[in-house]
Amino acid sequence: TLRRDPLAGRVSPSLIGTTGVIPLSIISTIPDILQHYYHCIINAKKEILLATNYWEKGESVNIIGKALRDLSKRAGNDNRYIIVKLIIDHPTKENLTHNHNILPPSEWSRYDIPSPEEMPNVSLEVNNYHRIILGTFHTKFMIVDRRMALLNSNNIQDRPNLEMMSHLEGDIVNSLYDTFLISWWIPFKPHLVCLNDEAAAQGHFHFGMNNSKLASIQRPLQQAIARARLRLKCHLEKQEPDVYLDEHVLVEEKTNRLSTIAIKALVQHRRAHSPSVLVKATNDLTGAIVGFDMNPRSEIPMTRHLNRSAKSAYETRPDANLSSTELETIAYDFTPFIFHQTHTPFPMALVNRSPYGKPIHVDTANPQDAAWIGAFRYAKKSIFIQSPTLNASPAIDGIIAACRRGVVVTIWLGLGFNDLVEGFGTFQGGTNEHVVKKLYKKLRDGNDGAIKYLQVYWYTGKDQTRPLHFSQKQRNCHIKFMSIDDQVAIMGNGNMDSQSWFHSQEANVMIDSSVVVKEWMDALYKNQSTHQYGRVTFD
């Protein structure tokens, strides 16, 4: 794929194939992932590189803005100066003449980006990058001190989405660092300070709560776990009001259970002094609400958790078909944080694609598309795909060919996801419903029995018994994931639609580890009800 353009993968060829480890993954709503961003940002020592497609005003942007302000305060106390580079995609008239346009500080307020005066010990530079017409910068990742990288499916925006993030360490960080350098393209002002550094080497990796890179956020992680258990306890015992963790709630390290005395003391204190208080916490990984609300609520704690990314007008309730016992089981089963088993560095490949602006669907000579095509072509037993959208012709052809070889292809899609864009004429390839019908028809018309190998599901939220249409803006899934034969997996930024296959710049990591793939798959099944209630059938 590199013969035409050695940088078709937006990374130096020698850095495509590499190794790394994944100590932590998050499969949850955007606030959970961005609170991990928050704690990684405020603990940066020298440099942060952040790339995102959408940067939209809202709570998500506020989290990053507060992180930068708090980082500046910490750096000031230590007499340090932190370099921060941010790439966003907000096409302006300047992008007509140059794909890369430095956004001056005078315009930062339009995006709710903190001013230089608000963060005197942070040097921020913002690059607005878009390749006209369709060459969207769809990449979403962050690198901190060239020691860790967060690769995720979500943008910096508020959406009612289930998303996925992986925390990467090892040589793979060097590869993503290189991707950022190439994506920035123009000179850095000021220069980066980690150019001569290297990612952590083997022997310096730790897992679980012992991970040195996660040491500074161990307490928030413990609070997140304990808060989830407390919410479950309150729901099981039908206690009102719901209690949320703050600094006064103790976590017993030996038993990893909340101190009953502390819980009772907090409840009594809140009842006596704060009958109706909702205060946002910034020292909790999952953005917990400190205090409680005395007003009656019909939603269970997990439903409230899933609603946190939705606008208030679109908040939903748990499905009425679920009994209280079923809801309790569901709440207990929801596991947003996946601490992966201890492992040594395993093979990884950074499979990206460069942006392609021309409105024609021809550009597949890139590592991302080659990885996907290879997955369809060489899978022996099974392929699993979760994507918001599916309509790219190579993906459709690959699915049909795999089914006809006897490979079980399981696809989880969003019902009605982005239909107004995907269904515009025939250019993008059609809506999910249109494509699914097309797949079943082609396999049925083949009369070779291949149709039995295709299994399609609509995404169904963890607290629901039926899929909710995208237009309801209540329960959507934005995860981009593919596993092959339970051994290889690809996760990151790219969807299975024409835009991601042919046009957008994407970043994805392909891993070779049956252990991590199984842990990812287990978490995907546990954190949604798609496999139980989303099966698509056609008469």
Side-chain angles (χ1 to χ4, degrees):
T1 63
L2 306 180
R3 291 175 182 172
R4 182 194 64 187
D5 178 7
L7 295 181
R10 227 54 177 168
V11 60
S12 299
S14 61
L15 294 177
I16 293 177
T18 183
T19 62
V21 298
I22 306 176
L24 171 70
S25 294
I26 299 176
I27 297 178
S28 189
T29 56
I30 295 174
D32 279 350
I33 293 173
L34 288 185
Q35 284 301 326
H36 186 57
Y37 263 66
Y38 171 87
H39 287 282
C40 291
I41 289 172
I42 66 172
N43 287 287
K45 303 302 180 184
K46 297 189 291 185
E47 180 183 279
I48 296 170
L49 310 181
L50 173 56
T52 186
N53 173 220
Y54 286 107
W55 176 282
E56 292 182 352
K57 289 184 177 182
E59 289 304 310
S60 297
V61 164
N62 292 343
I63 290 172
I64 303 300
K66 177 168 176 53
L68 293 174
R69 295 184 189 95
D70 291 350
L71 171 63
S72 180
K73 292 177 184 177
R74 289 191 173 199
N77 293 337
D78 300 335
N79 197 27
R80 292 182 291 119
Y81 201 63
I82 311 296
I83 301 297
V84 179
K85 306 295 182 182
L86 170 63
I87 305 179
I88 61 175
D89 185 338
H90 279 256
T92 63
K93 61 183 180 180
E94 285 79 9
N95 293 117
L96 292 172
T97 56
H98 201 292
N99 300 325
H100 302 80
N101 172 44
I102 296 300
L103 196 67
S106 60
E107 296 185 24
W108 290 358
S109 61
R110 294 173 47 201
Y111 303 87
D112 277 0
I113 298 173
S115 67
E117 292 74 25
E118 295 177 89
M119 43 182 188
N121 284 75
V122 168
S123 175
L124 173 65
E125 192 174 20
V126 182
N127 189 340
N128 189 6
Y129 174 30
H130 184 87
R131 185 179 296 273
I132 303 296
I133 305 173
L134 297 175
T136 300
F137 182 76
H138 197 238
T139 310
K140 320 154 204 304
F141 66 89
M142 181 173 74
I143 302 168
V144 179
D145 294 331
R146 203 170 177 174
R147 310 300 287 177
M148 68 174 76
L150 309 182
L151 178 63
N152 43 277
S153 60
N154 61 284
N155 298 296
I156 311 299
Q157 61 182 168
D158 299 339
R159 291 291 186 275
N161 295 344
L162 190 72
E163 304 276 5
M164 181 174 182
M165 183 222 79
S166 287
H167 179 119
L168 307 166
E169 298 179 19
D171 287 341
I172 185 66
V173 177
N174 291 327
S175 302
L176 281 163
Y177 195 87
D178 194 58
T179 291
F180 192 95
L181 300 184
I182 294 169
S183 300
W184 188 274
W185 198 260
I186 57 181
F188 291 103
K189 298 179 181 179
H191 295 302
L192 301 180
V193 294
C194 293
L195 276 174
N196 295 322
D197 294 350
E198 285 291 337
Q202 187 169 354
H204 295 82
F205 304 123
H206 302 280
F207 294 83
M209 301 306 291
N210 295 320
N211 186 336
S212 60
K213 306 297 190 309
L214 302 178
S216 59
I217 60 173
Q218 283 184 12
R219 185 180 176 207
L221 281 169
Q222 290 170 335
Q223 289 179 340
I225 295 167
R227 191 198 70 249
R229 289 177 174 168
L230 178 56
R231 284 179 172 177
L232 175 63
K233 173 180 169 61
C234 291
H235 180 62
L236 288 173
E237 299 180 2
K238 302 296 187 293
Q239 293 180 5
E240 285 291 345
D242 290 319
V243 183
Y244 298 82
L245 286 185
D246 67 6
E247 294 181 358
H248 301 95
V249 178
L250 305 177
V251 179
E252 296 180 356
E253 294 182 357
K254 292 183 179 180
T255 62
N256 203 22
R257 292 183 298 178
L258 288 174
S259 165
T260 303
I261 297 175
I263 293 172
K264 291 181 178 178
L266 177 61
V267 172
Q268 292 172 357
H269 175 79
R270 296 304 190 199
R271 283 176 175 164
H273 299 93
S274 307
S276 182
V277 180
L278 292 174
V279 183
K280 292 181 181 177
T282 58
N283 63 340
D284 188 332
L285 179 66
T286 58
I289 298 175
V290 180
F292 61 86
D293 189 352
M294 289 288 288
N295 298 321
R297 291 179 180 270
S298 59
E299 55 181 356
I300 63 171
M302 191 200 64
T303 294
R304 192 171 314 126
H305 187 89
L306 294 174
N307 276 339
R308 288 174 60 220
S309 296
K311 307 296 184 183
S312 59
Y314 298 111
E315 291 181 358
T316 190
R317 296 181 179 181
D319 198 301
N321 294 323
L322 292 169
S323 67
S324 59
T325 301
E326 289 173 320
L327 289 171
E328 291 160 6
T329 302
I330 287 171
Y332 183 80
D333 204 38
F334 188 69
T335 54
F337 306 97
I338 302 101
F339 292 94
H340 294 286
Q341 297 180 43
T342 300
H343 52 264
T344 57
F346 51 74
M348 294 185 180
L350 191 61
V351 288
N352 305 340
R353 67 153 294 130
S354 296
Y356 185 81
K358 296 179 181 179
I360 51 176
H361 297 337
V362 296
D363 184 33
T364 58
N366 57 79
Q368 172 193 264
D369 293 1
W372 286 339
I373 292 171
F376 289 123
R377 184 176 297 168
Y378 300 117
K380 296 180 179 179
K381 298 179 298 182
S382 64
I383 297 172
F384 173 90
I385 297 170
Q386 179 145 39
S387 173
T389 47
L390 166 67
N391 57 26
S393 55
I396 294 170
D397 294 341
I399 291 167
I400 292 172
C403 288
R404 286 177 174 162
R405 293 200 319 273
V407 175
V408 177
V409 181
T410 304
I411 309 172
W412 293 3
L413 301 170
L415 177 60
F417 198 101
N418 218 15
D419 274 0
L420 292 179
V421 174
E422 304 297 340
F424 179 72
T426 59
F427 177 72
Q428 291 289 13
T431 66
N432 285 338
E433 289 183 85
H434 168 79
V435 171
V436 169
K437 291 177 181 178
K438 178 180 178 181
L439 282 170
Y440 275 106
K441 184 179 185 303
K442 282 195 172 185
L443 290 172
R444 186 183 296 110
D445 291 347
N447 293 319
D448 54 4
I451 193 170
K452 66 183 179 183
Y453 295 105
L454 178 63
Q455 302 174 1
V456 180
Y457 297 75
W458 299 131
Y459 167 71
T460 306
K462 184 66 175 175
D463 60 339
Q464 303 295 312
T465 60
R466 60 185 177 84
L468 297 180
H469 196 277
F470 175 78
S471 61
Q472 295 177 258
K473 301 181 181 180
Q474 294 176 343
R475 291 287 181 273
N476 301 322
C477 186
H478 198 238
I479 290 171
K480 303 94 163 48
F481 179 85
M482 182 184 207
S483 73
I484 306 97
D485 293 338
D486 300 319
Q487 177 67 38
V488 173
I490 304 168
M491 66 81 57
N493 307 154
N495 301 316
M496 284 288 151
D497 59 21
S498 297
Q499 180 65 32
S500 286
W501 271 82
F502 298 111
H503 297 286
S504 295
Q505 176 172 329
E506 312 283 4
N508 312 277
V509 63
M510 179 168 64
I511 73 164
D512 185 358
S513 169
S514 60
V515 173
V516 174
V517 171
K518 183 180 186 304
E519 290 169 341
W520 275 345
M521 290 296 297
D522 288 347
L524 286 170
Y525 272 81
K526 289 184 73 173
N527 289 343
Q528 51 192 299
S529 295
T530 304
H531 64 293
Q532 294 173 292
Y533 304 111
R535 184 67 183 266
V536 177
T537 58
F538 290 104
D539 296 330

